[in-house]
Amino acid sequence: MKTLHLVISELSALRHIFRLGQMSLITLLAACASPYQPEYTQPAVPEKEAWKASIPDSQDVIRPDWWAGFEDAYLNQLVDQAVAGDYDLKLLATRIEIAAAAAGVERANALPKFSPDASKRFQRDPTGDSDTYSLSFSSSWELDVWGRVQKGIESKESEFRATEADWVAGYLKLVADVSSKYFEIRKLDRQIEQQKKSIEQNDKILAIYQFQIAEGLVSKSKVLQQEAEAFSKHKELLEFKRQRDVAENQLATLLGVPSGEFNVPTDVTQNEIVIPAVPVGLPSTLLSRRPDIIAQEYRVLAAYQLLGQAKLEKLPKFSLTADGGVSSNTLSQLLNKWSLGLAPSVSIPIFDKSISANIRSNEAQVKLAEDQYRQTVIKAFEEVETTLVNIASRKEQRNSLLLQVENLEVVNRNTNTQLKEGLVSQLEVFEVERTLLSAKQSVLDVDQQILADTVKLYKALGGGWSETDIR
């Protein structure tokens, strides 16, 4: 029977043997290419020195609840409901749990494996019956001498961080989609209201023409032309209502509610809305703030770590197995006799061609991940640049349309004054009012586009999330 002191002495001797083996192997491999990778560095991307549109030189961080800057209580309520009910966001949260579990499995696989076994054996032979009781165990453990196992753990942890960033990106996209869809419904409600007024004006003009044709003052073609315009306006009104129903169904899906069982009250869409000024940081902060870029770089890091693990497969693997147990014909004597065996082993993959193939495969995976990272960065630059250009241009368009509306309102007032004095006909008044309503429709279109572009800009800049550094 081995004493505990003897077992400890043997373990100490084994550690000494492994140290000597490691030093010899390092010397042997010194003449070969090093299997170790250099430190990870962020993939190089094209630099963005400046933006075409004017950006304030501000380090302000966008508030996390940036949508509250629109000062619309109903929008805030929609966002809360969407975050709680959207299934895309729930799927992303589940992927985080899966990635966390995968990282836990990888860490567990690095620990020693211990398998106990207890049994009772009954034997009958000519000498008589006998019972044998036994309790045994076996254990195995790969010693992570080179850090190969740790590379696998780090890769799984990087993928876990990437899924967390995916959730943030999904959250940001959800809020942006809810906001944009709500603003679209607001615009359609106002367009429907304006279109109804325009139809009323058109009907009044048509009534005048019908009276004039009875008096022989205009030709029938004039009436037919006005009727055709009336049909066109009714068609546009139906189209606005159709678009609203579709937008409402899409918004219901974002909220996690069955389509047809949710509607936006028209009274909440009539309130004035504030277009906030977005505090934009310097261009250099974009790469560290957008969650999709952060997620993609974590995937580059994960691929890089797997490549490092693949390269370390060329080095010998050290493992330690142990087995032991006790056995006796009686339970009372079971612990009196026991045995312990220790067996160190070294595996040297000299002729394993699959290792080189696996390295080439992982090198390609790293290149793919880096290219996807650069593609994400380039698209981010495009999104910000395009949105800034759109906002600047549409604000100029809005100013021009407002001047047009202002001028038409002056013309409308003058025409109404002239009508009272008998200088113009009622028909001319209606024509001016119809033109004014059409200009106001255009203002509504541009207002909605500015709101949608403002939401896109918040999303393109990564929302209000703090900077993350993965290195």
Side-chain angles (χ1 to χ4, degrees), residues 322-394:
D323 59 77
V326 293
S327 64
S328 175
N329 293 332
T330 61
L331 281 173
S332 60
Q333 301 294 320
L334 184 62
L335 300 179
N336 290 343
K337 296 180 181 180
W338 62 280
S339 61
L340 174 65
L342 296 172
S345 64
V346 179
S347 173
I348 304 177
I350 300 177
F351 302 108
D352 191 349
K353 297 297 184 182
S354 66
I355 293 177
S356 298
N358 192 38
I359 290 174
R360 290 193 297 272
S361 174
N362 279 277
E363 286 174 341
Q365 290 295 331
V366 170
K367 185 178 183 302
L368 175 63
E370 288 179 341
D371 288 342
Q372 288 174 334
Y373 169 78
R374 295 185 181 99
Q375 181 186 47
T376 304
V377 171
I378 290 297
K379 286 184 177 179
F381 287 146
E382 178 196 355
E383 286 179 15
V384 175
E385 187 72 73
T386 300
T387 307
L388 287 169
V389 169
N390 285 342
I391 289 176
S393 175
R394 282 166 179 158

Side-chain angles (χ1 to χ4, degrees), residues 266-415:
T266 54
D267 58 331
V268 303
T269 62
Q270 302 304 316
N271 302 324
E272 291 298 324
I273 195 167
V274 175
I275 300 179
V278 182
V280 183
L282 292 173
S284 61
T285 67
L286 177 66
L287 302 187
S288 61
R289 191 165 60 203
R290 274 183 61 126
D292 58 339
I293 294 178
I294 294 170
Q296 197 55 53
E297 189 176 356
Y298 268 122
R299 291 193 166 91
V300 174
L301 180 59
Y304 193 76
Q305 288 159 338
L306 285 178
L307 175 59
Q309 185 184 49
K311 289 182 176 181
L312 292 174
E313 290 282 355
K314 295 188 294 185
L315 298 178
K317 295 180 183 178
F318 296 90
S319 60
L320 180 65
T321 59
D323 59 77
V326 293
S327 64
S328 175
N329 293 332
T330 61
L331 281 173
S332 60
Q333 301 294 320
L334 184 62
L335 300 179
N336 290 343
K337 296 180 181 180
W338 62 280
S339 61
L340 174 65
L342 296 172
S345 64
V346 179
S347 173
I348 304 177
I350 300 177
F351 302 108
D352 191 349
K353 297 297 184 182
S354 66
I355 293 177
S356 298
N358 192 38
I359 290 174
R360 290 193 297 272
S361 174
N362 279 277
E363 286 174 341
Q365 290 295 331
V366 170
K367 185 178 183 302
L368 175 63
E370 288 179 341
D371 288 342
Q372 288 174 334
Y373 169 78
R374 295 185 181 99
Q375 181 186 47
T376 304
V377 171
I378 290 297
K379 286 184 177 179
F381 287 146
E382 178 196 355
E383 286 179 15
V384 175
E385 187 72 73
T386 300
T387 307
L388 287 169
V389 169
N390 285 342
I391 289 176
S393 175
R394 282 166 179 158
K395 283 185 176 180
E396 291 180 2
Q397 292 175 26
R398 185 176 188 273
N399 291 335
S400 297
L401 286 170
L402 288 176
L403 289 174
Q404 180 186 7
V405 169
E406 184 179 340
N407 290 340
L408 287 172
E409 285 177 340
V410 172
V411 173
N412 186 47
R413 288 194 298 270
N414 293 338
T415 307

Side-chain angles (χ1 to χ4, degrees), residues 44-158:
V45 294
E47 293 184 2
K48 179 71 174 174
E49 297 294 343
W51 304 89
K52 287 183 180 179
S54 175
I55 297 183
D57 185 4
S58 170
Q59 294 291 354
D60 294 337
V61 177
I62 301 173
R63 56 187 292 184
D65 58 339
W66 50 263
W67 56 91
F70 293 103
E71 299 183 12
D72 190 305
Y74 190 76
L75 173 60
N76 298 342
Q77 176 186 329
L78 290 177
V79 170
D80 291 339
Q81 187 175 350
V83 171
D86 181 68
Y87 285 95
D88 286 339
L89 207 58
K90 290 178 180 179
L91 290 173
L92 291 172
T94 302
R95 289 194 178 98
I96 293 177
E97 295 178 8
I98 294 172
V105 169
E106 197 73 17
R107 286 191 292 268
N109 287 336
L111 300 175
K113 296 174 178 60
F114 181 79
S115 303
D117 179 56
S119 65
K120 174 187 176 181
R121 180 182 179 189
F122 173 77
Q123 182 175 354
R124 171 171 289 178
D125 54 38
T127 62
D129 299 339
S130 63
D131 293 332
T132 302
Y133 300 91
S134 64
L135 179 64
S136 62
F137 75 90
S138 62
S139 179
S140 63
W141 183 27
E142 181 182 340
L143 303 178
D144 194 19
V145 176
W146 316 107
R148 185 189 65 83
V149 176
Q150 182 61 28
K151 286 287 185 184
I153 295 173
E154 291 172 353
S155 177
K156 291 294 183 183
E157 290 175 345
S158 295

Side-chain angles (χ1 to χ4, degrees), residues 2 23 42 56 70 85 149 197 209 249 273 302 376 416 419:
K2 293 185 178 181
M23 292 174 62
Q42 187 181 50
F70 293 103
V149 176
K197 291 180 181 179
Y209 280 147
N249 289 339
I273 195 167
T376 304
N416 276 280
L419 176 65

Side-chain angles (χ1 to χ4, degrees), residues 208-239:
I208 292 175
Y209 280 147
Q210 288 172 338
F211 172 79
Q212 289 179 338
I213 196 173
E215 298 295 325
L217 300 175
V218 295
S219 64
K220 187 174 180 58
S221 61
K222 195 71 173 178
V223 175
L224 293 175
Q225 181 181 355
Q226 198 64 32
E227 287 179 344
E229 186 170 350
F231 293 144
S232 176
K233 288 188 177 296
H234 278 288
K235 173 183 172 295
E236 289 176 1
L237 178 61
L238 292 173
E239 177 62 17

Side-chain angles (χ1 to χ4, degrees), residues 163-233:
T163 58
E164 286 186 319
D166 285 340
W167 186 92
V168 176
Y171 180 97
L172 189 59
K173 180 179 182 300
L174 173 64
V175 174
D177 288 346
V178 168
S179 302
S180 296
K181 197 57 61 179
Y182 170 63
F183 292 147
E184 181 182 346
I185 292 173
R186 285 178 57 96
K187 180 203 73 167
L188 288 167
D189 278 346
R190 297 201 173 190
Q191 284 183 319
I192 289 171
E193 181 185 357
Q194 294 277 21
Q195 191 71 3
K196 288 178 178 178
K197 291 180 181 179
S198 181
I199 290 174
E200 290 177 4
Q201 293 297 105
N202 194 80
D203 290 343
K204 291 176 181 178
I205 295 172
L206 179 59
I208 292 175
Y209 280 147
Q210 288 172 338
F211 172 79
Q212 289 179 338
I213 196 173
E215 298 295 325
L217 300 175
V218 295
S219 64
K220 187 174 180 58
S221 61
K222 195 71 173 178
V223 175
L224 293 175
Q225 181 181 355
Q226 198 64 32
E227 287 179 344
E229 186 170 350
F231 293 144
S232 176
K233 288 188 177 296

